[in-house]
Amino acid sequence: MTARFTSSASPPSRSGRDDVLTISIREPESPQQGRHYRRQSLPSAPIPIHRTADRAADILVVGGGSSGGTAAITAAREGMRTVLLDMNPGPGGTGTYGGVDSYWYGRHVSFAARLEAAVTEKHARINHTGGKWNIDVKTWVLREMARDAGVETFFNAFAIGTIMEGSRVRGVVAATRWGPVAILTRVVIDATGDGDIAAFAGARFTYGAERTHSVMWYSLAQYASPGLIRNNFTSTVDVSNIE
């Protein structure tokens, strides 16, 4: 797909006109692996650019989970103009909105140690007890860390296409509550967990496990009785199956 990007809110470009770029957008071939859906042609429409070519972010991190959130906050602390985009209402990924409330082993050093200390301090303020973290508190702490580092955040935003200039990844198009938006950047960190941005761009990938092509299992918290849950690791979910 080729789209026309416009940015009427940005300062005029050197030519005296608003930025108008023609760049290709790579999208998934089908909403479901192995099944063909007939595509409909629609008239081209302008997509607003949040970050123009002259004001592109240094780093765009797509996915704000344990890896992406750490990458975005660290990059911003190092002085990079950093944008973080995530499909959830806040950062943390599996460790917050995914319902996971403890580490499975792991090394409690560096960024992880600072995060753990900040979460523990917030726990004391709300009288939270127990060895596991409160997922709302962890989201709160990560939001504060991102804000203090100067990370620009987009939440409730789904990356739906990779912006390409030739073979170079220039950013993403995201679907937001207010419509689609293009974010241009110099470097993209794909922390989606599924490798969506790289796959959209045309990178070689193996769907599922390389040997069996089985997809990831999921944990379903079963409520055995009031106050008692039991994890179930016996099922898989195929995120490519739209049905």
Side-chain angles (χ1 to χ4, degrees), residues 40-182:
Q40 299 291 330
S41 297
L42 298 174
S44 62
I47 300 175
I49 303 176
H50 176 68
R51 285 285 185 168
T52 64
D54 291 338
R55 299 190 305 112
D58 294 316
I59 295 177
L60 168 63
V61 182
V62 186
S66 297
S67 298
T70 303
I73 293 168
T74 302
R77 283 178 169 171
E78 292 293 323
M80 300 291 102
R81 291 182 295 183
T82 306
V83 176
L84 173 64
L85 184 148
D86 193 86
M87 66 180 184
N88 291 310
T94 304
T96 54
Y97 292 95
V100 175
D101 61 357
S102 58
Y103 290 119
W104 193 353
Y105 302 106
R107 297 185 67 233
H108 301 251
V109 297
S110 190
F111 182 90
R114 294 195 297 272
L115 175 60
E116 192 170 14
V119 169
T120 300
E121 187 271 332
K122 288 285 196 298
H123 281 168
R125 290 175 58 180
I126 66 170
N127 296 320
H128 175 77
T129 59
K132 299 181 178 182
W133 63 70
N134 178 290
I135 60 176
D136 289 318
V137 166
K138 190 168 186 179
T139 305
W140 178 14
V141 169
L142 285 167
R143 276 183 178 273
E144 285 189 336
M145 294 176 79
R147 180 201 63 201
D148 293 344
V151 178
E152 186 175 4
T153 55
F154 280 79
F155 295 121
N156 294 304
F158 288 80
I160 57 174
T162 301
I163 301 173
M164 304 291 295
E165 187 174 34
S167 60
R168 179 187 172 197
V169 176
R170 289 292 312 276
V172 302
V173 174
T176 75
R177 292 177 176 179
W178 302 275
V181 63

Side-chain angles (χ1 to χ4, degrees), residues 33 193-195 199 203-215:
Q33 287 282 336
D194 292 317
R204 291 183 59 189
F205 66 89
T206 299
Y207 188 79
E210 187 171 6
R211 184 168 63 87
T212 63
H213 292 279
S214 59
V215 292

Side-chain angles (χ1 to χ4, degrees), residues 10-26:
S10 65
S13 63
R14 293 186 182 91
S15 63
R17 298 177 294 108
D18 289 338
D19 281 339
V20 178
L21 304 176
T22 301
I23 311 178
S24 65
I25 304 174
R26 303 270 183 90

